[in-house]
Amino acid sequence: MKLIRLPALSDNYIWLLCDENKHCVIIDPAESQPVIDILAASQLIPVAILLTHHHHDHVGGVAGLLKQHPKLPVYGPEETQSKGATHIVHENDLIETGHFSFQVIALPGHTLGHIAFYQAPYLFCGDTLFSAGCGRLFEGTAEQMFSSLGKIASLPDETLICCAHEYTAANMEFALAVLPENQTIRDYYKKIIALREKDQATVPTTLKKEKKINVFLNCHDIDLQKNIGIKPNSIPLYSVFQQLRAYKDRF
Ligand SMILES: [Zn+2]
């Protein structure tokens, strides 16, 4: 398998996963032109589009791609039906096409219908988990999002987190504000700043790395709880998450 990361719009990534026969699936096409260009340049044959949720910067390229490839199946949650999805999928569904086999994982929180597509080691998780961050709560509750992040955290450590935005530098600044003494976070922050200065991408990341540097996966951390003004272990972890997410929204 070959993973291709296409920058799109201001800070989106469109992902393509390709097999050895040059068949590929396209995940969250924010726009069509960069995809059309790479399909032509690399002589790739698209076999499916996968949509994680209904936001425009994830589905904006569907119509343009279908114009060129009218029979291309588009898999997505119910909320993407009006955005071009032709096959509605649910938790635990398997999408099997060619050499691909994706498991659908329901991840409500950022939107209510948000899903991820998992084919080990690749996880296409849209706007749920970012490197060093997580998506905003536009539709779901903090409890739902916390549980969705827990589902991701239960996958193998070597899982490749293919998220849909380049937000890592800003997220690491927040991580430093929350855990200023954490040496792993301090070191990783420097690495990310150096990468971004050279205009290089910081994703995909691994679940193993995220468990170390992503504060939203570390709500159980006593220092984190203290630093955001919570008496350690005095409230449920999803409430810690809720306060942490609210703090990030104001940050
Ligand atoms: Zn979104």
Side-chain angles (χ1 to χ4, degrees):
M1 291 282 162
K2 184 183 172 199
L3 182 67
I4 299 174
R5 179 192 54 234
L6 293 179
L9 303 177
S10 57
D11 51 31
N12 277 78
Y13 288 126
I14 303 167
W15 296 97
L16 274 69
L17 190 63
C18 313
D19 70 10
E20 51 275 25
N21 301 326
K22 295 209 159 209
H23 290 164
C24 71
V25 296
I26 303 154
I27 299 99
D28 282 355
E31 44 186 344
S32 56
Q33 201 56 51
V35 180
I36 289 167
D37 291 346
I38 192 96
L39 293 177
S42 304
Q43 294 180 310
L44 297 169
I45 304 149
V47 295
I49 297 174
L50 311 181
L51 305 176
T52 61
H53 65 295
H54 68 84
H55 286 159
H56 183 72
D57 60 325
H58 297 255
V59 303
V62 172
L65 288 170
L66 289 181
K67 219 176 258 176
Q68 298 229 338
H69 304 275
K71 291 189 177 148
L72 200 57
V74 183
Y75 297 88
E78 205 122 15
E79 64 180 34
T80 58
Q81 190 141 39
S82 62
K83 313 285 179 178
T86 57
H87 294 62
I88 301 305
V89 291
H90 304 93
E91 170 89 326
N92 285 328
D93 281 355
L94 268 188
I95 299 166
E96 293 186 298
T97 171
H99 289 128
F100 302 101
S101 177
F102 291 98
Q103 183 198 339
V104 175
I105 303 175
L107 299 174
H110 178 69
T111 66
L112 281 174
H114 198 302
I115 58 174
F117 301 94
Y118 177 56
Q119 173 177 308
Y122 308 97
L123 179 75
F124 299 98
C125 56
D127 288 355
T128 298
L129 184 68
F130 296 124
S131 184
C134 75
R136 280 174 186 261
L137 300 176
F138 284 121
E139 297 175 13
T141 64
E143 200 168 357
Q144 283 175 319
M145 188 63 149
F146 183 69
S147 153
S148 293
L149 293 175
K151 271 175 157 176
I152 294 177
S154 71
L155 294 172
D157 269 354
E158 63 272 20
T159 300
L160 279 176
I161 307 294
C162 305
C163 55
H165 288 276
E166 179 60 68
Y167 287 160
T168 316
N171 288 339
M172 285 305 295
E173 277 168 29
F174 178 68
L176 264 187
V178 171
L179 287 172
E181 309 292 324
N182 183 304
Q183 196 56 47
T184 309
I185 287 177
R186 292 161 71 126
D187 292 344
Y188 199 60
Y189 175 73
K190 282 187 204 148
K191 190 177 163 188
I192 292 300
I193 294 302
L195 281 172
R196 295 307 295 150
E197 275 172 2
K198 287 179 272 175
D199 207 25
Q200 288 181 16
T202 64
V203 294
T205 174
T206 63
L207 186 56
K208 187 176 182 181
K209 172 63 78 180
E210 292 307 308
K211 285 180 179 172
K212 290 182 185 148
I213 56 101
N214 193 317
V215 289
F216 294 98
L217 297 181
N218 284 283
C219 291
H220 53 273
D221 187 297
I222 299 297
D223 291 328
L224 178 151
Q225 293 183 13
K226 280 190 207 159
N227 291 350
I228 63 169
I230 296 169
K231 185 169 159 253
N233 298 330
S234 62
I235 55 173
L237 288 180
Y238 75 83
S239 300
V240 175
F241 170 76
Q242 184 165 28
Q243 293 195 26
L244 187 65
R245 184 61 254 183
Y247 180 22
K248 174 70 167 64
D249 290 345
R250 300 188 303 267
F251 189 73

